[in-house]
Amino acid sequence: MPTLTKLYSMEEAASHNKQDDCWVVIDGKVYDVTSYMDEHPGGDDVLLAVAGKDATDDFEDAGHSKDARELMEKYFIGELDESSLPEIPELKIYKKEQPTDSVQKLVDLTKQYWLVPVSIITISVAVSVLFSHKR
Protein backbone atom coordinates (compact mmCIF):
# COMPACT_ATOMS: atom_id res chain seq x y z
CA MET A 1 0.00 0.00 0.00
CA PRO A 2 1.52 3.36 -1.03
CA THR A 3 2.47 5.78 1.69
CA LEU A 4 0.91 9.21 1.53
CA THR A 5 3.26 12.08 2.16
CA LYS A 6 2.43 15.59 3.22
CA LEU A 7 2.62 18.23 0.49
CA TYR A 8 4.23 21.58 1.20
CA SER A 9 4.19 24.70 -0.91
CA MET A 10 7.48 26.41 -1.72
CA GLU A 11 6.13 29.43 0.15
CA GLU A 12 5.67 27.33 3.29
CA ALA A 13 9.14 25.80 2.97
CA ALA A 14 10.61 29.28 2.50
CA SER A 15 9.28 30.39 5.88
CA HIS A 16 11.52 27.79 7.61
CA ASN A 17 14.83 29.56 7.07
CA LYS A 18 16.35 30.04 10.50
CA GLN A 19 18.90 28.27 12.71
CA ASP A 20 16.17 26.86 14.97
CA ASP A 21 13.75 26.07 12.12
CA CYS A 22 15.54 24.97 8.96
CA TRP A 23 13.97 23.21 5.99
CA VAL A 24 15.52 22.53 2.60
CA VAL A 25 14.03 21.25 -0.63
CA ILE A 26 16.05 18.75 -2.67
CA ASP A 27 14.70 17.08 -5.79
CA GLY A 28 11.13 18.03 -4.89
CA LYS A 29 11.38 16.55 -1.40
CA VAL A 30 11.19 18.64 1.76
CA TYR A 31 13.60 17.96 4.64
CA ASP A 32 13.56 19.41 8.14
CA VAL A 33 17.29 19.56 8.90
CA THR A 34 16.99 21.64 12.09
CA SER A 35 18.27 18.85 14.31
CA TYR A 36 21.10 18.09 11.86
CA MET A 37 22.56 21.61 11.80
CA ASP A 38 25.34 20.92 14.35
CA GLU A 39 26.20 17.54 12.81
CA HIS A 40 26.52 18.65 9.17
CA PRO A 41 30.14 18.05 8.06
CA GLY A 42 30.18 21.30 6.08
CA GLY A 43 28.91 23.30 9.05
CA ASP A 44 25.56 24.84 9.80
CA ASP A 45 26.28 27.90 7.63
CA VAL A 46 26.08 25.68 4.53
CA LEU A 47 22.55 24.60 5.47
CA LEU A 48 21.53 28.11 6.50
CA ALA A 49 22.60 29.43 3.09
CA VAL A 50 19.98 27.22 1.42
CA ALA A 51 17.40 27.20 4.22
CA GLY A 52 13.87 27.58 2.88
CA LYS A 53 15.10 27.25 -0.71
CA ASP A 54 15.46 24.64 -3.41
CA ALA A 55 18.92 23.30 -2.60
CA THR A 56 19.03 20.66 -5.33
CA ASP A 57 21.86 22.26 -7.32
CA ASP A 58 23.92 23.02 -4.20
CA PHE A 59 23.43 19.48 -2.93
CA GLU A 60 24.46 17.92 -6.25
CA ASP A 61 27.42 20.29 -6.69
CA ALA A 62 28.78 19.24 -3.29
CA GLY A 63 29.05 15.62 -4.48
CA HIS A 64 27.36 13.96 -1.52
CA SER A 65 28.03 10.27 -0.92
CA LYS A 66 25.53 7.43 -1.02
CA ASP A 67 25.61 7.39 2.80
CA ALA A 68 24.70 11.08 2.91
CA ARG A 69 21.78 10.45 0.56
CA GLU A 70 20.55 7.61 2.77
CA LEU A 71 20.91 9.80 5.89
CA MET A 72 18.64 12.39 4.28
CA GLU A 73 15.66 10.06 4.57
CA LYS A 74 15.79 10.49 8.35
CA TYR A 75 14.92 14.19 7.86
CA PHE A 76 12.31 13.76 5.12
CA ILE A 77 8.98 15.37 6.08
CA GLY A 78 7.10 15.58 2.78
CA GLU A 79 7.13 16.57 -0.85
CA LEU A 80 6.95 19.85 -2.66
CA ASP A 81 3.50 20.59 -4.04
CA GLU A 82 4.33 21.16 -7.70
CA SER A 83 0.98 22.86 -8.30
CA SER A 84 2.00 25.65 -5.89
CA LEU A 85 5.03 26.59 -7.98
CA PRO A 86 4.69 29.59 -10.26
CA GLU A 87 4.22 28.62 -13.88
CA ILE A 88 7.30 29.20 -15.97
CA PRO A 89 6.44 30.59 -19.39
CA GLU A 90 7.52 28.53 -22.36
CA LEU A 91 10.52 29.92 -24.16
CA LYS A 92 10.28 30.59 -27.86
CA ILE A 93 13.24 29.43 -29.88
CA TYR A 94 14.14 31.39 -32.96
CA LYS A 95 16.38 29.96 -35.61
CA LYS A 96 19.17 32.32 -36.44
CA GLU A 97 19.70 32.66 -40.15
CA GLN A 98 23.03 31.42 -41.37
CA PRO A 99 25.13 34.35 -42.50
CA THR A 100 25.94 34.30 -46.19
CA ASP A 101 29.53 34.57 -47.23
CA SER A 102 30.96 37.96 -48.16
CA VAL A 103 30.99 37.21 -51.89
CA GLN A 104 27.27 36.50 -51.87
CA LYS A 105 26.64 39.72 -49.94
CA LEU A 106 28.66 41.64 -52.51
CA VAL A 107 26.69 40.08 -55.37
CA ASP A 108 23.41 40.94 -53.65
CA LEU A 109 24.49 44.53 -53.06
CA THR A 110 25.67 44.81 -56.67
CA LYS A 111 22.29 43.64 -57.92
CA GLN A 112 20.58 46.12 -55.64
CA TYR A 113 22.84 49.05 -56.51
CA TRP A 114 23.77 48.25 -60.14
CA LEU A 115 24.03 51.90 -61.12
CA VAL A 116 27.26 52.47 -59.17
CA PRO A 117 29.34 49.71 -60.81
CA VAL A 118 27.93 50.53 -64.27
CA SER A 119 28.83 54.22 -63.79
CA ILE A 120 32.37 53.36 -62.68
CA ILE A 121 32.87 51.11 -65.70
CA THR A 122 31.45 53.75 -68.09
CA ILE A 123 33.71 56.48 -66.71
CA SER A 124 36.73 54.16 -66.85
CA VAL A 125 36.07 53.29 -70.48
CA ALA A 126 35.52 56.93 -71.39
CA VAL A 127 38.74 58.06 -69.68
CA SER A 128 40.79 55.31 -71.30
CA VAL A 129 39.35 56.14 -74.75
CA LEU A 130 40.09 59.85 -74.33
CA PHE A 131 43.66 59.33 -73.18
CA SER A 132 44.47 56.66 -75.77
CA HIS A 133 43.57 58.98 -78.73
CA LYS A 134 45.82 61.87 -77.62
CA ARG A 135 49.04 59.97 -78.20
Side-chain angles (χ1 to χ4, degrees):
M1 181 169 166
T3 306
L4 295 176
T5 61
K6 183 157 172 58
L7 294 178
Y8 296 98
S9 68
M10 193 63 209
E11 185 177 284
E12 185 175 359
S15 68
H16 299 272
N17 59 0
K18 297 174 182 59
Q19 177 82 28
D20 60 343
D21 183 20
C22 183
W23 291 10
V24 294
V25 176
I26 300 173
D27 288 326
K29 294 182 177 182
V30 182
Y31 300 90
D32 181 352
V33 294
T34 307
S35 63
Y36 186 61
M37 298 287 283
D38 294 331
E39 299 171 34
H40 188 265
D44 61 353
D45 57 328
V46 173
L47 292 175
L48 279 173
V50 294
K53 301 177 185 172
D54 186 335
T56 303
D57 290 338
D58 296 279
F59 182 82
E60 295 300 333
D61 290 347
H64 285 89
S65 66
K66 183 179 177 183
D67 290 341
R69 293 173 189 276
E70 290 172 0
L71 180 63
M72 287 173 53
E73 295 309 312
K74 179 179 175 183
Y75 303 99
F76 175 77
I77 58 170
E79 294 185 10
L80 192 62
D81 182 5
E82 300 291 334
S83 67
S84 71
L85 297 176
E87 191 169 322
I88 299 172
E90 185 175 330
L91 294 176
K92 293 181 181 179
I93 299 173
Y94 296 95
K95 183 177 179 183
K96 185 176 179 181
E97 291 184 27
Q98 295 295 326
T100 58
D101 63 326
S102 57
V103 174
Q104 185 61 44
K105 283 184 182 180
L106 183 61
V107 168
D108 293 341
L109 284 173
T110 304
K111 287 179 184 176
Q112 185 177 358
Y113 301 105
W114 61 271
L115 186 58
V116 173
V118 168
S119 299
I120 292 172
I121 292 171
T122 304
I123 292 171
S124 298
V125 168
V127 168
S128 80
V129 167
L130 286 174
F131 284 109
S132 66
H133 285 307
K134 285 191 173 185
R135 287 185 180 184

